[in-house]
């Protein structure tokens, strides 16, 4: 069996650990592994490299992906799927393991429908917005990157007694912002899934001030809208000095944490086992600590729920 490994969409710390796990687990089980460079675009360009044990030496600790990735619009067209199918046939690829986020899982379903190529998905994105897995590879690393940044912002916030609004990534979802808000111990968490009232936010900030809290930090998911305007409005309403810090792309970078590497190893080996059992078109995931797999079509048609209990707990503990 020849299996193509592809990393697609936004890179996530731990993708390399997953590539390494697939290669090192597949080869002794008689599977030939190849890498498709630059995501779906690389499939269209026939950008293919062999992946041996040596190829994946010394990468478990590296962020990003040695296979590189792209956001390739051409792929998501009938012509793109046809071109991909041709490359798959020419290279005699029997199956694909696609490592990426919800967009990559969606692309996998489309490609499978057009070409019939068996696919196993491995969820890897800092957004953690993929259904049927409690956690995606890279999420824990991004959370820790944000915590470190916010702990640093907290020192200057205290010195100048300023309010800080820290914007996190997460696309349209609030999983990253919520987990960061809880673990960095901030006073206000704004996520797209929960409507907020700017007056109530200001009231809460006034209450903090009256209680003598020395810092008031707000974590806002990028998906709630223009965070600069939101910060300006808060300053206008409260009269408190506010600064904004958009964490940006550092959230995608850095060495994967042990947790992200563990998920990468568990997901990578489980993906190979599924292929060996003849189980296709599923995505690997973790549910209550157990490694599972779910039909890819079900994954892409399910919107992952935010845990409202976590949100309520964060609000209560911040006072
Ligand atoms: O999906 C991961 C992610 O980092 C999102 O959180 C963010 O909104 C998006 O990618 C940024 O996309 P790009 O890397 O194309 O600018």
């Amino acid at each position: 069996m020849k299996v193509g490994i592809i990393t697609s969409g936004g890179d996530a710390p731990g993708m390399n650990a997953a590539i390494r796990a697939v290669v090192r687990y597949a080869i002794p089980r008689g599977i030939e592994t190849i890498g498709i460079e630059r995501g779906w675009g690389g499939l269209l360009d026939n950008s293919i490299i062999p992946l041996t044990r040596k190829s994946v030496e010394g990468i478990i600790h590296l962020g990003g992906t040695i296979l590189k990735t792209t956001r390739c619009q051409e792929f998501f067209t009938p012509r793109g799927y046809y071109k991909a199918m041709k490359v798959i046939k020419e290279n005699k690829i029997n199956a694909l393991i696609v490592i990426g986020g919800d967009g990559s899982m969606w692309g996998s379903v489309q490609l499978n429908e057009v070409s019939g190529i068996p696919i196993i998905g491995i969820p890897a994105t800092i957004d953690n917005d993929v259904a049927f897995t409690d956690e995606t590879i890279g999420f824990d690393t991004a959370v820790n990157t944000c915590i470190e940044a916010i702990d640093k912002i907290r020192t200057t916030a205290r010195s100048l007694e300023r309010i800080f609004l820290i914007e996190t990534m997460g696309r349209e979802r609030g999983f990253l912002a919520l987990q960061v808000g809880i673990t960095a111990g901030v006073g206000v968490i704004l996520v797209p899934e929960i409507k907020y009232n700017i007056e109530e936010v200001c009231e809460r900030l006034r209450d903090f001030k009256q209680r003598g809290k020395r810092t008031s930090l707000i974590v806002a998911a990028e998906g709630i809208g223009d965070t600069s305007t939101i910060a300006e409005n808060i300053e206008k309403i409260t009269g408190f000095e506010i600064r904004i810090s958009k964490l940006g792309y550092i959230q995608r970078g850095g060495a994967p944490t042990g947790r992200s590497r563990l998920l990468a190893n568990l997901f990578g080996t489980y993906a190979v086992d599924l292929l060996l059992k003849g189980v296709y078109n599923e995505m690997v995931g973790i549910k209550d600590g157990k490694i599972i797999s779910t039909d890819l079509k079900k994954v892409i048609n399910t919107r992952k729920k935010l845990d409202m209990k976590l949100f309520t707990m964060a609000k209560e503990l911040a006072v």
Side-chain angles (χ1 to χ4, degrees):
M1 185 194 286
K2 186 194 276 191
V3 173
I5 302 168
I6 192 166
T7 49
S8 157
D11 58 307
M15 280 185 162
N16 283 324
I19 296 166
R20 173 182 174 278
V22 170
V23 171
R24 291 266 172 99
Y25 192 77
I27 289 173
R29 287 163 178 80
I31 294 176
E32 181 191 350
T33 47
I34 56 158
I36 293 146
E37 295 182 307
R38 296 185 189 81
W40 298 121
L43 196 53
L44 302 190
D45 303 341
N46 197 18
S47 176
I48 289 173
I49 56 169
L51 283 178
T52 64
R53 293 168 188 273
K54 193 96 184 82
S55 320
V56 295
E57 188 187 341
I59 68 168
I60 193 168
H61 65 296
L62 297 180
T65 160
I66 58 167
L67 291 177
K68 296 183 269 306
T69 176
T70 50
R71 294 188 190 281
C72 170
Q73 292 316 314
E74 187 200 351
F75 171 76
F76 297 95
T77 63
R79 201 174 106 78
Y81 297 134
Y82 178 74
K83 263 173 91 174
M85 187 166 66
K86 227 161 124 292
V87 169
I88 288 165
K89 285 197 169 32
E90 279 162 12
N91 289 279
K92 299 185 177 56
I93 299 170
N94 304 109
L96 289 177
I97 289 182
V98 178
I99 304 169
D102 56 343
S104 305
M105 299 308 130
W106 192 85
S108 298
V109 170
Q110 310 320 309
L111 178 62
N112 169 263
E113 284 186 347
V114 168
S115 68
I117 181 85
I119 296 180
I120 298 292
I122 292 180
T125 169
I126 66 166
D127 300 346
N128 200 31
D129 57 352
V130 182
F132 295 101
T133 185
D134 294 341
E135 191 174 339
T136 53
I137 294 168
F139 177 63
D140 181 66
T141 306
V143 167
N144 282 284
T145 299
C146 293
I147 291 171
E148 206 183 317
I150 293 172
D151 287 354
K152 288 185 167 72
I153 289 170
R154 194 184 284 277
T155 53
T156 179
R158 276 176 91 133
S159 309
L160 281 145
E161 295 178 302
R162 281 171 171 162
I163 294 174
F164 269 83
L165 185 149
I166 298 111
E167 181 192 282
T168 60
M169 283 186 158
R171 210 177 283 281
E172 291 93 34
R173 302 306 307 274
F175 297 99
L176 182 57
L178 178 56
Q179 188 112 336
V180 169
I182 293 169
T183 49
V186 304
V188 176
I189 303 172
L190 302 176
V191 293
E193 296 86 346
I194 302 168
K195 280 219 164 322
Y196 69 93
N197 173 307
I198 191 93
E199 291 295 342
E200 281 172 19
V201 171
C202 294
E203 196 40 46
R204 191 167 163 78
L205 293 169
R206 285 192 199 98
D207 178 47
F208 290 157
K209 199 130 181 130
Q210 272 148 21
R211 290 166 183 270
K213 278 173 81 78
R214 282 169 295 186
T215 53
S216 295
L217 302 178
I218 302 164
V219 164
E222 63 180 340
I224 68 160
D226 178 356
T227 49
S228 305
T229 307
I230 293 167
E232 279 158 27
N233 291 340
I234 290 173
E235 187 165 71
K236 272 194 208 115
I237 297 169
T238 60
F240 299 154
E241 201 180 9
I242 188 166
R243 291 290 184 275
I244 185 163
S245 186
K246 298 187 179 187
L247 298 183
Y249 289 87
I250 60 164
Q251 297 168 86
R252 289 247 287 273
T257 57
R259 173 76 190 166
S260 289
R261 299 182 202 190
L262 177 65
L263 284 185
N265 281 292
L266 293 171
F267 287 3
T269 51
Y270 197 87
V272 172
D273 277 337
L274 288 174
L275 288 177
L276 289 169
K277 285 188 288 191
V279 174
Y280 303 137
N281 308 324
E282 302 221 334
M283 184 196 79
V284 179
I286 186 163
K287 197 85 198 124
D288 304 331
K290 198 168 160 300
I291 306 299
I292 58 156
S293 66
T294 309
D295 179 77
L296 269 168
K297 278 201 185 118
K298 217 168 144 195
V299 170
I300 66 169
N301 290 312
T302 306
R303 180 178 162 82
K304 188 174 189 173
K305 283 199 178 60
L306 195 75
D307 184 345
M308 298 308 285
K309 290 192 302 299
L310 282 180
F311 188 80
T312 315
M313 176 190 78
K315 209 165 168 176
E316 189 177 337
L317 297 185
V319 182

